[in-house]
Amino acid sequence: MSTATSSQPYTFAAYHPAPQLVGPIVIASDTSPQSDAAFPAAQALAERTNSVVHVVSAVMPFAMPMYAFDTMPVPLETDLAVREGREGMLKAQQTRLISPTSNWPVMVRTGEPAREIVEFAQDHKARVIVVGRGRHAAIQRALGGETVLRLLQLGDTPVLAAEAKLTAAPRRVVIATDFSEFSLYAAQVALTLVASDAVIYLVHVAPPFSKADQGLQDRAIAYRNQALHGFSQLHEMLARNGFSVEDVLVEGNPSDELTKVIRDKDADLVVTATHGYGFLRRMILGSVAAELLRHAPCSVLCVPGSARTLAAARTRPSTTAHTHTFDMAVLDAELKAFSDRNTGRPCTVEIDSRDLGAQILGHSLPLVGATYDRATRLVSLMFGTSALTGQHLTHTIAEVSAVDTSTGGDGREQVLRLVHTDGQTLVLLE
């Protein structure tokens, strides 16, 4: 979650509940003691959700550095021996932490760990990736360096950084919200994983307003009223039998205030969205999610928010929703008609690269138009106030091979998808 810092919190637009995740629980382990906590936590989630569990690890390709020469690859047999050794260690870890009869599938891949784990989770449509958080919230120790953060940067799969004491489905749960659709989606995901009788604390951290200034006092009152309205909407959208829900509105630094609430409520899980800004931007997690991962006194569930997340939630199957595939032979005309229908609508633009993962170009960018050059297979997307005044941003996409749109139940186009050599670009119409 990146808690709102504007003068008013977000309120929800028309938003469909996200489809329930139904894939397996994926344990990411490097076999270190810090990764032990992932096993009982995954077992508890699997029992709660009736899911299967996969255990996944990744080893770097084995290569021998030579002085004054490039790295020299070694025979394939060496890599195979390393993977077999890691597989044996994973099975021993499973036996020690779960039971001698446990037979969860074990997979060892070769490559950069975070990328391999994300790819496995995406291929299997995983419900959540579970990693051990280690003692004293030492996230730097888990899976080595900043791997947990990279899991969130590179993929859309929720990541649970589990502490050793999480051996049952969470029952006291703090859900951080900024009243954005990203945090709503995170809450929806969380409620599929927590205990059926869990106590849920919805927490919003407002900016600090000085009580010495009458103008700021009026602003604080207006903000509080908006937040209360946001809480009311959340209650309607997240209504579940058996859950006790309490609203908590505080002011101050988001990560500090959330930590105070976690301690005060003796929470065993805190949930936050990450807003999914992608690998190249260090602020993808916002400072809040990164700080919680490092310092929260409980397990942390991070749910990446991205255009794909919202697209999946908004265009879930219904009797009225449909997808329209553009005819590439007349794509220029198709895009002109699309532009005429949607000019001025704010957009979230996500670039999904096979190499770099999901990157957000921007949020709330007003659509000016889209064009296609058939000679170069180049699509140009323009955002801003007006193409005529020059106050706009142009993003070009080369080698486009397919284009389609998804239309929601209200009949309005909600997602423009452009498939290209490097991956795909999503334009989410807000």
Side-chain angles (χ1 to χ4, degrees), residues 131-148:
V131 301
R133 192 153 175 243
R135 294 177 58 82
H136 309 301
I139 199 67
Q140 292 85 351
R141 302 175 188 172
L143 293 175
E146 299 262 311
T147 302
V148 173

Side-chain angles (χ1 to χ4, degrees), residues 32-44 93 96-98 130-139 141-142 160-170 267-269 296-300:
S32 69
Q34 285 75 31
S35 65
D36 281 357
F39 286 79
Q43 183 182 39
Q93 192 177 26
R96 174 170 55 87
L97 296 167
I98 304 302
V130 185
V131 301
R133 192 153 175 243
R135 294 177 58 82
H136 309 301
I139 199 67
R141 302 175 188 172
L160 172 64
E163 295 219 335
K165 61 184 178 182
L166 188 66
T167 58
D268 49 15
L269 179 69
C298 66
S299 299
V300 182

Side-chain angles (χ1 to χ4, degrees), residues 1 15 18 21 118 121-122 126-129 148-160 180-187 189 271-278 284-285 289 293 300-313 350 358 360 363:
M1 181 201 77
Y15 185 77
L21 301 172
V118 164
Q122 291 175 339
R127 182 186 296 264
V128 64
I129 299 171
V148 173
L149 301 183
R150 282 179 55 74
L151 292 174
L152 296 166
Q153 291 170 331
L154 294 174
D156 282 339
T157 307
V159 178
L160 172 64
S180 71
E181 291 170 323
F182 297 107
S183 61
L184 171 59
Y185 178 74
V189 169
V271 181
T272 177
T274 68
H275 288 34
Y277 283 95
I284 53 133
L285 303 173
L293 279 168
V300 182
L301 174 65
C302 291
V303 181
S306 69
R308 280 178 290 178
T309 296
L310 296 183
E350 177 179 297
I360 295 294
H363 292 293

Side-chain angles (χ1 to χ4, degrees), residues 200-246:
I200 307 297
Y201 302 97
L202 297 175
V203 183
H204 177 70
V205 184
F209 292 100
S210 171
K211 294 182 173 55
D213 184 285
Q214 183 60 45
L216 288 180
Q217 289 185 40
D218 295 339
R219 198 182 212 184
I221 294 172
Y223 190 103
R224 178 179 179 82
N225 290 336
Q226 292 253 349
L228 293 176
H229 177 62
F231 280 132
S232 177
Q233 289 181 298
L234 269 175
H235 277 275
E236 293 179 9
M237 296 176 183
L238 302 178
R240 298 286 193 280
N241 292 332
F243 288 124
S244 172
V245 181
E246 179 180 326

Side-chain angles (χ1 to χ4, degrees), residues 326 328 331 372 377 398-403 418-421 423:
F326 287 3
M328 294 299 292
L331 183 58
Y372 178 61
R377 293 171 60 196
E399 299 184 4
V400 174
S401 58
V403 180
L418 302 102
V419 180
H420 40 85
T421 303

Side-chain angles (χ1 to χ4, degrees), residues 3-46:
T3 299
T5 56
S6 58
S7 60
Q8 293 184 348
Y10 294 105
T11 54
F12 300 113
Y15 185 77
H16 301 301
Q20 183 171 340
L21 301 172
V22 295
I25 309 292
V26 171
I27 295 175
S29 171
D30 61 0
T31 74
S32 69
Q34 285 75 31
S35 65
D36 281 357
F39 286 79
Q43 183 182 39
L45 295 184

